[in-house]
């Protein structure tokens, strides 16, 4: 049984920083793409950043240079360091994982909910002016 649990969301002023964490349990597949998605009210869920088992990363253009995705293999934790937060970063953030060996980090961008097998429940990030 694979479980993903996000934490670290909250409220922050524009320009501030937050670090999201996703604790992953029960994931025994040898390969992965793990990713952060976000969904703002009235908008589609979008892939923000992805990392695969070869260490490749991919980022949504809107967050490049501000967000950093990382995975700690020892603790099986996925993180998203978010700096320079902007009002438009306000959303529910979800972590996701998929064991398909054909997937790469770049497939996070433009991916839909159906493209990833495992999902967390989400953590809210609110950026205010």
């Amino acid at each position: 049984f694979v479980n993903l649990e996000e934490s670290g969301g909250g409220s922050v002023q524009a320009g501030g920083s937050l670090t999201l964490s996703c604790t992953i349990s029960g994931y025994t597949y040898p390969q992965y793409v793990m990713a952060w998605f976000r969904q703002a009210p009235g908008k589609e869920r979008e892939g923000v950043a992805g990392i695969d088992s070869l260490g490749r990363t991919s980022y949504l253009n809107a967050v490049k240079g501000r967000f950093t995705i990382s995975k700690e293999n020892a603790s099986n934790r996925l993180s998203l360091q978010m700096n320079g937060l902007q009002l438009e970063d306000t959303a529910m953030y979800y972590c996701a994982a998929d064991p398909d060996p054909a997937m790469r980090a770049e497939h996070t961008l433009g991916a839909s909910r159906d493209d990833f097998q495992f999902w967390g429940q989400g953590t809210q990030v609110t950026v205010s002016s």
Side-chain angles (χ1 to χ4, degrees), residues 6-19:
E6 303 94 339
S7 61
S11 297
V12 64
Q13 287 191 321
S17 298
L18 280 175
T19 300

Side-chain angles (χ1 to χ4, degrees), residues 27-80:
Y27 192 97
T28 58
Y29 302 93
Q31 293 173 305
Y32 61 82
V33 172
M34 295 187 177
W36 289 95
F37 285 74
R38 68 186 181 188
Q39 188 166 18
K43 293 190 176 181
E44 297 285 325
R45 188 171 298 194
E46 64 178 354
V48 174
I51 186 167
D52 61 33
S53 49
L54 294 183
R56 295 171 294 212
T57 58
S58 188
Y59 295 92
L60 184 69
N61 282 340
V63 307
K64 278 182 181 176
R66 300 189 296 122
F67 290 11
T68 303
I69 190 171
S70 61
K71 185 178 182 297
E72 298 175 20
N73 291 325
S75 60
N76 222 20
R77 184 171 63 186
L78 182 72
S79 297
L80 185 69

Side-chain angles (χ1 to χ4, degrees), residues 109-122:
L109 307 181
S112 70
R113 181 162 189 164
D114 292 339
D115 294 321
F116 279 75
Q117 186 171 354
F118 305 111
W119 289 87
Q121 293 299 307

